[in-house]
């Protein structure tokens, strides 16, 4: 019992370190996984981050190094939802820090967004699938409640889903990304713009035009809603 209690305290302290380590300036609200005070009823982003860091709900927990709760501000203009950690993220525990992340930052810059100022970046799957394989359906199902709880607390103005898996989960559809990205969807009243995953675009430059038109749509939506920052 004493061991269990100290394990639990360690998990909470680790989550706090992760959270506090992510704080930056501007809105006083940049964090890895959460902003203190962002809570609803008994749920909070700190609690979700602590649960993610200690999660053993699927087999990915056996091979991952660092689970990723996500990074960004509360009530962002855009919440970007990717697939899952790649090797750089698994190694560092930080969201979108590898090549895909650098490329994503260019997308944000192109439409006047900044990751730690008015965005949140998260994932469908919080732990890296080995060999970068696709996530399995049971892994997506096990992980999905974390993201859905985060969405309630983060309250983004617009959601951009990156790639097939994130788009299918959030749009509640089994259509492919080519079809899903042709229209704006809704998630609990929030507009959802599906687009290609940055890693896919790095592999296939022909997708760049499609992504650019999706990003322009995001900017138009933000302008219509009156949210620039
Ligand atoms: N790709 C993703 O989908 N998510 C990350 O966090 C990093 C790369």
């Amino acid at each position: 019992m004493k061991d269990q209690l100290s394990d639990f305290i360690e998990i909470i302290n680790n989550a706090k370190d992760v959270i506090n380590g992510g704080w930056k300036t501007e809105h006083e609200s940049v964090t890895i996984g959460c902003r203190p005070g962002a809570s609803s009823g008994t749920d909070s982003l700190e609690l979700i981050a602590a649960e993610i860091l200690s999660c053993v709900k699927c087999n990915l927990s056996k091979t991952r190094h660092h689970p990723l709760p996500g990074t960004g501000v509360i009530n962002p203009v855009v919440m970007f939802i990717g697939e899952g950690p790649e090797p750089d993220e698994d190694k560092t525990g930080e969201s979108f820090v590898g090549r895909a992340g650098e490329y994503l930052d260019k997308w944000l810059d192109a439409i006047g967004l900044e990751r730690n100022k008015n965005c949140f970046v998260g994932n469908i799957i919080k732990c890296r699938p080995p060999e970068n394989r696709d996530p399995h359906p049971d892994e997506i199902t096990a992980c999905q409640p974390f993201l859905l709880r985060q969405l309630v607390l983060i309250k983004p103005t617009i959601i951009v889903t990156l790639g097939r898996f994130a788009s299918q989960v959030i749009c509640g559809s089994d259509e492919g990304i080519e079809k899903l990205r042709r229209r704006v969807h809704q998630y609990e009243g929030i507009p959802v713009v599906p687009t290609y995953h940055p890693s896919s675009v790095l592999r296939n430059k022909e997708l760049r035009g499609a992504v650019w038109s999706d990003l322009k749509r995001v900017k138009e939506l933000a302008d219509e809603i009156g949210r620039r920052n």
Side-chain angles (χ1 to χ4, degrees):
M1 181 65 187
K2 202 169 156 230
D3 282 354
Q4 279 174 338
L5 185 63
S6 49
D7 283 355
F8 180 70
I9 291 170
E10 196 186 327
I11 288 164
I12 295 288
N13 284 337
N14 284 346
K16 280 189 183 151
D17 284 350
V18 167
I19 290 155
N20 294 334
W23 286 101
K24 295 250 172 74
T25 53
E26 203 73 25
H27 292 157
E28 277 183 34
S29 58
V30 177
T31 153
I32 295 180
C34 61
R35 169 192 188 180
S39 61
S40 161
T42 54
D43 208 4
S44 73
L45 286 170
E46 286 102 329
L47 180 64
I48 301 170
E51 288 179 31
I52 290 170
L53 294 180
S54 62
C55 181
V56 290
K57 283 195 216 149
C58 80
N59 280 336
L60 296 181
S61 61
K62 296 181 186 154
T63 49
R64 63 143 191 254
H65 294 100
H66 291 99
L68 293 193
T71 311
V73 299
I74 304 304
N75 193 213
V77 180
V78 180
M79 177 160 173
F80 290 86
I81 304 178
E83 186 175 310
E86 291 181 0
D88 289 320
E89 291 80 19
D90 182 55
K91 198 156 51 175
T92 59
E94 290 174 43
S95 294
F96 277 101
V97 288
R99 275 191 78 213
E102 282 169 19
Y103 195 31
L104 179 63
D105 283 339
K106 289 189 182 154
W107 296 7
L108 304 196
D109 195 39
I111 53 169
L113 294 174
E114 241 178 89
R115 214 199 269 215
N116 288 330
K117 188 172 166 203
N118 44 28
C119 296
F120 194 102
V121 286
N123 283 304
I124 287 291
I125 290 279
K126 312 298 188 192
C127 297
R128 181 189 175 221
E131 317 300 334
N132 278 351
R133 66 158 168 75
D134 288 345
H136 293 161
D138 63 308
E139 293 159 356
I140 294 178
T141 305
C143 218
Q144 196 169 326
F146 291 133
L147 180 67
L148 303 189
R149 284 165 62 199
Q150 287 177 317
L151 277 163
V152 170
L153 299 162
I154 292 167
K155 296 186 174 54
T157 299
I158 299 167
I159 297 172
V160 174
T161 49
L162 303 169
R164 171 162 69 103
F165 293 101
S167 303
Q168 288 180 337
V169 168
I170 297 300
C171 301
S173 165
D174 56 9
E175 285 180 314
I177 182 66
E178 301 77 11
K179 273 202 174 160
L180 287 174
R181 62 164 288 279
R182 291 201 188 130
R183 61 190 193 278
V184 177
H185 302 250
Q186 294 283 317
Y187 173 83
E188 302 283 330
I190 304 169
V192 180
V193 180
T195 193
Y196 291 102
H197 192 283
S199 298
S200 307
V201 189
L202 283 168
R203 284 193 301 270
N204 179 1
K205 302 254 181 293
E206 285 178 11
L207 301 176
R208 283 185 301 189
V211 169
W212 178 235
S213 80
D214 297 339
L215 291 175
K216 279 200 291 193
R217 180 177 267 171
V218 173
K219 189 167 177 331
E220 280 158 17
L221 270 173
D223 288 344
E224 271 166 35
I225 299 167
R227 279 232 42 196
R228 302 304 314 275
N229 274 297

